[in-house]
């Protein structure tokens, strides 16, 4: 095997085990060195292509799909379903799976979709309880404070609400959990003071720099929740 044939064979398959290729390496140290260098280069390329997949990739894709599907069901067209699904998948990759796309135009629609995605994760009779001090530590990120508890707080953590860092609270309700969002104001999502679908009802309170959204089932008195929030929340700015 001449030098040109040998190089072509190694370029095509760095781990070439053809008898002629092996014999050429045994007879010519320079060919053996060339084959080793190509193998090392091939291994580096393989390692460079092994990009790790984020641990929460599946959850974020599922969340984006849920939001897109909810919006499409409201419009009741298959065309919008296909478009929303495409936007959800492509948009997720572009944004590195860190935030949702602005597929919604008002706070109510987005809040409902978010609640449906999280539905079932926290039971209304859960034994866990977040303290008022812990809640106010998180509220500090929004320059806010609660003077007293609104009820039994089952869960409190930051979330992404249309890409914005927001606070997601889940309280024990009469028959099912009540969700409260503290969301910075955003011009992309128009303010809606009341909204609902066949299962859930919601209301929004507008403050200087943030909106507070309450979502619960038909057994909840949203007016009472709004009054309690207005009486207990304060803002440092």
């Amino acid at each position: 095997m001449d030098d040109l044939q040998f190089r072509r064979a190694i370029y095509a398959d760095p781990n070439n085990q053809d008898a002629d290729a092996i014999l050429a390496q045994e007879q010519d140290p320079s060919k053996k060195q060339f084959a080793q260098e190509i193998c090392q280069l091939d291994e580096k390329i393989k390692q460079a292509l092994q990009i790790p997949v984020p641990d929460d990739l599946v959850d974020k894709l599922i969340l984006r799909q849920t939001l897109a599907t909810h919006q499409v069901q409201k419009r009741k067209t298959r065309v919008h379903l296909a478009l929303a699904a495409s936007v959800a998948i492509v948009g997720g990759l572009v944004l590195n799976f860190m935030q949702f796309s602005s597929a919604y135009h008002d706070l109510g629609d987005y809040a409902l979709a978010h609640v449906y995605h999280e539905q079932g994760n926290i039971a209304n009779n859960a034994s866990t309880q977040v303290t008022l001090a812990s809640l106010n530590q998180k509220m500090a990120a929004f320059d806010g404070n609660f003077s007293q508890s609104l009820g039994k707080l089952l869960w409190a953590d930051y979330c992404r609400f249309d890409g914005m860092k927001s606070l997601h609270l889940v309280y024990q309700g009469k028959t099912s959990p009540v969700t409260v969002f503290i969301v910075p104001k955003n011009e992309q999502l128009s303010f809606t003071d009341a909204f609902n679908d066949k299962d859930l009802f919601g209301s929004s309170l507008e403050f200087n720099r943030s909106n507070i959204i309450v979502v619960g089932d038909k057994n909840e008195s949203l007016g009472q929740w709004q009054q309690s929030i207005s009486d207990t929340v304060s803002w440092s700015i």
Side-chain angles (χ1 to χ4, degrees):
M1 177 180 290
D2 62 27
D3 187 65
L4 180 58
Q5 290 177 325
F6 177 77
R7 286 177 177 271
R8 285 178 175 174
I10 296 301
Y11 278 134
D13 181 7
N15 296 305
N16 194 314
Q17 297 298 309
D18 183 77
D20 291 340
I22 294 175
L23 180 60
Q25 294 181 57
E26 293 175 348
Q27 294 177 345
D28 187 344
S30 64
K31 286 186 174 66
K32 183 175 183 179
Q33 181 179 357
F34 173 77
Q36 290 175 344
E37 291 175 350
I38 296 301
C39 282
Q40 291 173 357
L41 177 60
D42 186 62
E43 184 62 29
K44 289 180 180 179
I45 293 174
K46 289 180 180 178
Q47 292 177 0
L49 293 175
Q50 291 177 354
I51 302 174
V53 177
D55 294 337
D56 56 353
L57 172 60
V58 174
D59 289 339
K60 289 181 177 178
L61 284 176
I62 292 174
L63 175 55
R64 296 180 59 80
Q65 185 64 41
T66 301
L67 296 176
T69 300
H70 176 76
Q71 179 69 356
V72 169
Q73 288 175 344
K74 289 176 67 65
R75 296 177 181 176
K76 297 183 182 296
T77 79
R78 297 195 179 200
V79 174
H80 286 150
L81 174 58
L83 291 175
S86 299
V87 169
I89 295 173
V90 176
L93 295 174
V94 172
L95 295 177
N96 197 26
F97 316 107
M98 291 302 294
Q99 61 184 21
F100 311 145
S101 64
S102 298
Y104 298 83
H105 301 296
D106 62 62
L107 293 172
D109 280 351
Y110 198 94
L112 288 174
H114 201 125
V115 170
Y116 279 122
H117 173 74
E118 301 291 342
Q119 204 169 47
N121 290 344
I122 302 172
N124 194 46
N125 59 354
S127 59
T128 58
Q129 183 167 0
V130 181
T131 65
L132 180 62
S134 179
L135 168 60
N136 281 329
Q137 285 181 348
K138 296 183 183 298
M139 278 292 291
F142 306 91
D143 299 314
N145 182 83
F146 282 99
S147 60
Q148 63 184 43
S149 177
L150 301 176
K152 183 178 180 181
L153 181 56
L154 305 176
W155 189 78
D157 206 350
Y158 299 115
C159 71
R160 288 283 171 178
F161 194 100
D162 195 44
M164 299 177 291
K165 179 182 178 180
S166 304
L167 187 56
H168 186 159
L169 312 177
V170 179
Y171 287 90
Q172 185 178 65
K174 293 180 179 179
T175 54
S176 64
V178 175
T179 300
V180 176
F181 296 106
I182 290 84
V183 183
K185 286 190 174 180
N186 182 356
E187 294 180 356
Q188 293 183 354
L189 290 177
S190 61
F191 180 82
T192 47
D193 57 357
F195 54 91
N196 68 277
D197 63 9
K198 63 183 180 66
D199 296 315
L200 296 176
F201 294 80
S203 62
S204 306
L205 287 169
E206 188 172 16
F207 294 93
N208 187 31
R209 298 177 61 185
S210 299
N211 295 311
I212 297 184
I213 307 165
V214 184
V215 181
D217 64 23
K218 63 182 180 181
N219 296 312
E220 295 296 334
S221 172
L222 297 185
Q224 186 175 356
W225 279 92
Q226 284 186 318
Q227 187 62 52
S228 296
I229 292 172
S230 297
D231 291 343
T232 57
V233 71
S234 60
W235 310 94
S236 58
I237 296 179

